[in-house]
Amino acid sequence: MTPGEAAIAAAAGLAAGLINAVAGGGTLVSFPALVALGVPAVAANVTNTVALVPGYLGGAAAQRRDLVTYATRLRALTIAAAIGGLIGSILLVNTSDDVFRVLVPFLILAACALLGFQDRIKRWYSSRRPSAQDAERRPVLLVAAVFVGAIYGGYFGAGLGIMLLAILGLALDDPLPRINSLKTALSLVINVLAACFFVFSGKVDWPFAAIIAVSSLAGGVIGGRLAGRLDPRILRTVVITFGVIVAVRFFVT
């Protein structure tokens, strides 16, 4: 590893940790950076997942006060996130690099589209005037959706925060900064479970993982403190725009 490659990895980790804590989608920076540095696609995703755990930890710690609101929901959502994350990680290590590279742009675009149409979908859902039975089912549907999202997160870390924000935003009538704290906590759980499995997979590029881990921790702390001060619409626009750019680049290459 050259000093220049180490600097690129550190910058990518710092940006990823910050973006993950603020709006989600930070791995759309660090994952392409690792691929550009010559790490094979599956190994890059595995390395990225392991390396960004400290960033998620920093972001979750900085936003822990907002989690008090979700005390009654957190246990069920955490279990669903943990199981889903483990399943996704098992699927990933059994996928070839060629197949994974084909799937990457579609996965990114799907997550970006979900976030982009979040407000419209939420307005449509609200206009349905759900019955008492629908209201009773909503917590169950939320846990199921988080479980599916966690499988995605364990399989492909890029865009996990975007997907969780969209899922939680559709089910919860809370301000975005508060939902963001729950998204960060669940992202931490998913990535910790996936990382624990990946550590023994033999696919982690440890030098890059160490650099990104340190810089993403700093980025996560900074992003967690800024999360409640930024315009949600701007955050979504920036993340979606960058995600589309990355997806197009994967299509081209």
Side-chain angles (χ1 to χ4, degrees), residues 108-118 121 162 240:
I108 293 176
L109 290 176
C112 289
L114 191 58
L115 183 62
F117 287 101
Q118 175 184 333
I121 296 173
I162 299 174
I240 291 170

Side-chain angles (χ1 to χ4, degrees), residues 26-211:
T27 47
L28 295 176
V29 175
S30 51
F31 169 70
L34 287 170
V35 173
L37 290 170
V39 182
V42 172
N45 194 45
V46 167
T47 300
N48 190 63
T49 299
V50 173
L52 290 183
V53 167
Y56 283 111
L57 179 60
Q63 300 175 70
R64 63 186 181 278
R65 292 182 180 178
D66 289 328
L67 287 174
V68 175
T69 306
Y70 302 112
T72 57
R73 290 191 177 102
L74 198 55
R75 178 177 296 180
L77 293 177
T78 298
I79 294 174
I83 297 174
L86 183 59
I87 292 174
S89 64
I90 294 173
L91 292 174
L92 175 63
V93 296
N94 287 285
T95 302
S96 68
D97 280 306
D98 291 339
V99 172
F100 189 67
R101 288 187 70 93
V102 171
L103 293 175
V104 164
F106 295 102
L107 293 170
I108 293 176
L109 290 176
C112 289
L114 191 58
L115 183 62
F117 287 101
Q118 175 184 333
D119 289 339
R120 293 185 182 182
I121 296 173
K122 191 171 184 179
R123 285 196 297 269
W124 170 82
Y125 189 87
S126 299
S127 68
R128 292 176 60 247
R129 296 181 181 179
S131 63
Q133 185 177 8
D134 290 332
E136 291 177 359
R137 284 201 301 258
R138 182 180 288 190
V140 176
L141 294 175
L142 175 59
V143 172
V146 167
F147 172 71
V148 174
I151 294 176
Y152 167 88
Y155 185 80
F156 183 57
L160 170 61
I162 299 174
M163 181 167 289
L164 288 178
L165 269 180
I167 291 171
L168 296 172
L170 292 174
L172 303 175
D173 298 321
D174 295 325
L176 183 61
R178 190 177 298 167
I179 293 176
N180 190 69
S181 69
L182 180 57
K183 175 269 299 180
T184 303
L186 294 178
S187 296
L188 172 64
V189 172
I190 293 167
N191 279 271
V192 165
L193 264 293
C196 288
F197 179 77
F198 290 151
V199 163
F200 302 100
S201 68
K203 294 181 179 292
V204 181
D205 190 314
W206 288 107
F208 280 129
I211 292 173

